Amino acid sequence: MKKRTLAIAALAASAMLAACSNATQDPLANEESGAAAGDHVFGEDETLIGGSLFTLQYAWFLGAQQGMEQWGEEHPDANVRFQFEDSQQDIQTNIQNLENLVAAGAQGIVVFPTDSTAIIPTMVDLHGREGTQFVVGDYPQEPSTPEDAVWNTFVGHDMVALGEVAGQVAVEHLQAENIEDPTIVYISVPTSGEASAARLEGFTDTVLAEYPDATIIDEGDTGAADRNSAQDLMANVLQREDSIDVVAGHNDAEVLGAYNAAVGAGRAEEMGFVGIGGDREVLQYIQDGNPSWLGEVLQDPVELGYTAMDALWQSMAEGEDLPEQTELPEPEAITPDTIDDTDWQSWDWIG
């Protein structure tokens, strides 16, 4: 991974340095005050940090924003100010947001991309032309060459592991109910690309390892990828499938929509539902003992946002050389047996 190099240079050598390297790509360090980009001194001058969020449609990304803001509150000496932009799950909006943030003066950006490749040319351009520092969160990027990997680290969750934990919740339910050859509906989101495919892979592999004869029906939500589109999709599935044992999906919106369809058809009690992401309604169902809800698989978005911001500061302002990927804790399942051990009602981001 391409890393930014911080050097200490005397003023007399600055002309030679500029001739030998791209000064915008490799800002100078300040011996007494820490790293500086041009005349900007981190810690002394206010530093604008951008947050390019995948979408604010899902509360989970509000948690990532909250984590970044929490870092700022706990590090007042860093003297940072945040500006957040919603990419609305749209590639062109994501690209424009990066350009707008840099135009507004952002020295560094934590970006939650809309796909695995589309914004890489923009990051390469902004990094080379303006010296903008990046940390990528949640969605790993796939550069065509190593030189294009201009972000300082990737901070994200293991998408396959999310599916695996959801699959384990399903397996435990099937075992408890002595169901031998289950029929399972999994609602994927094709527009989410590799992230959706990875979750489905983890879920499917986990279930088939215990139930090799299971029927797993992958239904792709090609509509708006929200509760309403998932409800319409599930209504059609219910018309053709006489027996369904478990319903899971890419995120809570998909599974909640499927649940609402099952309730409308009077069949919700026939099946169990597994959510992914973190939704107040799902957690309330589990808290209230709704027998249809088996669990919620969650990776803490606040921790993700906090860790990503910390990584950006370490690399941008302190000159730390970071690993290609910054690890995060494994996902956890919140079930009827464990929900009382959480304090989910206090999570501001969840709404």
Side-chain angles (χ1 to χ4, degrees), residues 58 166 184-189 199 203 219 221 225-234 246-263 268 271-279 281-282 285-286 292-297:
Y58 304 141
I184 299 171
V185 173
Y186 187 99
I187 303 179
S188 58
V189 179
R199 294 183 192 189
F203 181 87
E219 291 288 332
D221 185 354
D226 59 15
R227 291 193 196 190
N228 292 333
S229 60
Q231 183 169 345
D232 292 340
L233 184 154
M234 187 64 180
V246 173
V247 179
H250 177 72
N251 58 31
D252 285 316
E254 300 297 330
V255 184
L256 279 165
Y259 172 73
N260 291 339
V263 170
M271 57 197 80
F273 295 81
V274 184
I276 292 180
D279 185 280
E281 188 172 350
V282 171
Y285 280 139
I286 297 172
S292 295
W293 284 90
L294 308 179
E296 171 78 304
V297 179

Side-chain angles (χ1 to χ4, degrees), residues 37-295:
D39 294 330
H40 182 90
V41 179
F42 293 106
E44 292 186 11
D45 300 323
E46 181 183 74
T47 299
L48 177 63
I49 300 295
S52 178
L53 303 172
F54 174 72
T55 179
L56 290 178
Q57 177 183 346
Y58 304 141
W60 194 87
F61 287 97
L62 289 174
Q65 175 177 328
Q66 181 181 325
M68 291 179 64
E69 293 172 328
Q70 181 179 325
W71 187 95
E73 293 169 0
E74 294 182 6
H75 297 80
D77 292 344
N79 193 17
V80 298
R81 175 171 61 88
F82 294 103
Q83 179 174 326
F84 295 97
E85 301 290 345
D86 181 1
S87 294
Q88 303 174 34
Q89 304 184 62
D90 179 72
I91 291 171
Q92 291 304 316
T93 303
N94 192 176
I95 292 171
Q96 188 62 54
N97 285 345
L98 295 181
E99 294 174 344
N100 291 345
L101 286 167
V102 172
Q107 301 276 342
I109 300 174
V110 176
V111 56
F112 299 89
T114 52
D115 81 344
S116 63
T117 61
I119 65 168
I120 292 177
T122 302
M123 286 195 289
V124 170
D125 174 61
L126 294 173
H127 179 71
R129 180 163 48 86
E130 302 291 343
T132 310
Q133 302 298 299
F134 294 97
V135 163
V136 174
D138 186 52
Y139 205 149
Q141 297 297 278
E142 299 178 0
S144 57
T145 66
E147 291 76 19
D148 285 346
V150 295
W151 49 94
N152 298 340
T153 189
F154 167 67
V155 182
H157 299 300
D158 186 333
M159 298 295 177
V160 174
L162 276 169
E164 290 172 344
V165 175
Q168 188 58 43
V169 172
V171 165
E172 291 174 1
H173 167 72
L174 297 170
Q175 291 174 337
E177 297 296 321
N178 295 316
I179 299 173
E180 295 184 357
D181 299 317
T183 298
I184 299 171
V185 173
Y186 187 99
I187 303 179
S188 58
V189 179
T191 54
S192 291
E194 293 90 340
S196 188
R199 294 183 192 189
L200 174 59
E201 174 191 340
F203 181 87
T204 300
D205 289 350
T206 300
V207 172
L208 292 180
E210 297 294 333
Y211 293 91
D213 294 327
T215 299
I216 301 179
I217 303 169
D218 172 19
E219 291 288 332
D221 185 354
T222 57
D226 59 15
R227 291 193 196 190
N228 292 333
S229 60
Q231 183 169 345
D232 292 340
L233 184 154
M234 187 64 180
N236 293 329
V237 174
L238 290 168
Q239 290 179 11
R240 71 171 192 261
E241 299 294 336
D242 294 331
S243 175
I244 298 173
D245 299 298
V246 173
V247 179
H250 177 72
N251 58 31
D252 285 316
E254 300 297 330
V255 184
L256 279 165
Y259 172 73
N260 291 339
V263 170
R267 295 181 58 184
E269 294 183 359
E270 301 175 16
M271 57 197 80
F273 295 81
V274 184
I276 292 180
D279 185 280
R280 176 171 290 276
E281 188 172 350
V282 171
L283 291 169
Q284 192 65 61
Y285 280 139
I286 297 172
Q287 184 75 69
D288 293 343
N290 184 320
S292 295
W293 284 90
L294 308 179

Side-chain angles (χ1 to χ4, degrees), residues 135 152-153 155 306-316 322 326:
V135 163
N152 298 340
T153 189
V155 182
Y306 188 100
T307 302
M309 180 57 212
D310 192 56
L312 179 63
W313 191 258
Q314 287 181 39
S315 57
M316 177 177 68
L322 302 181
T326 300

Side-chain angles (χ1 to χ4, degrees), residues 320-338:
E320 294 291 331
D321 187 35
L322 302 181
E324 182 174 343
Q325 179 168 350
T326 300
E327 299 295 332
L328 291 169
E330 292 295 314
E332 296 180 339
I334 300 175
T335 68
D337 292 334
T338 64

